[in-house]
Amino acid sequence: MITKTDICTIENSKIIVNNEIVFESQCEIFSDFAKEAYKSLQLNYPKFHKMDNLSKLAFLAAEKILKEGDQSRTALVFANKSSSLDTDYKYQESINTPDHYFPSPAVFVYTLPNICLGEISIKHSMQTENVFFVLDEFDENFINTYSEQLLHSGKADKVLCGWVELYRESYMAFVYLLTL
């Protein structure tokens, strides 16, 4: 039987952990909200500023749950509906801009949704499974069943699961930790 321990939700300029607001902002633009949250929560990870918005959303939610400690045996199972569409549009715009002769490699790096999992994995030295599904809607039963298999197989001691949807200025993260 799996147990859901910590839960983090990010939407409407709020970060809520286990039903307690840990950060709230008046910023309506996600990138401004993310910068303000990063500073307020005193996170120390300079690569954060180079990430795309989807990675920043996933990273902020993961940081509020993972905190400190050994996460090397924590797996990641995430999903969303839009994949990396927000960044894909920015990449396309960089190609279409008349004053650019070639697309930005800094933006191209983030044109896959699983890159946000890579950022979390690098930060926490994770050495386990990670997967990013693209689904029509959040399917907690599917995510939990997949995660339970990882836990029972011994491939992970914990699984950080989540829905991280971001497109333009619409965003929502729902991330939680599962253990046996």
Side-chain angles (χ1 to χ4, degrees), residues 149-166:
Q149 291 173 355
L150 288 174
L151 292 166
H152 284 299
S153 73
K155 292 182 179 178
D157 295 335
K158 299 178 276 188
V159 181
L160 184 66
C161 305
W163 178 262
V164 288
E165 175 64 23
L166 183 136

Side-chain angles (χ1 to χ4, degrees), residues 51-146:
M51 293 180 195
D52 73 321
N53 284 338
L54 181 64
S55 295
K56 287 178 180 179
L57 178 62
F59 188 87
L60 287 169
E63 285 304 290
K64 292 313 301 169
I65 292 178
L66 297 177
K67 304 168 192 141
E68 297 301 317
D70 182 12
Q71 301 299 336
S72 63
R73 300 223 0 104
T74 302
L76 300 169
V77 178
F78 279 50
N80 76 5
K81 182 176 182 171
S82 299
S83 185
S84 58
L85 193 57
D86 186 69
T87 302
D88 294 346
Y89 275 119
K90 290 176 183 163
Y91 181 70
Q92 184 63 44
E93 287 172 2
S94 77
I95 293 171
N96 294 342
T97 305
D99 60 341
H100 288 96
Y101 295 105
F102 55 89
S104 169
V107 176
F108 176 75
V109 168
Y110 292 97
T111 57
L112 295 172
N114 65 330
I115 297 302
C116 65
L117 302 182
E119 296 287 2
I120 296 166
S121 295
I122 291 166
K123 165 72 164 61
H124 291 282
S125 302
M126 294 175 167
Q127 301 170 3
T128 55
E129 303 284 327
N130 74 60
V131 63
F132 197 110
F133 295 103
V134 178
L135 307 170
D136 284 334
E137 59 187 21
F138 179 58
D139 186 344
E140 189 169 5
N141 185 51
F142 172 76
I143 298 288
N144 290 355
T145 300
Y146 189 95

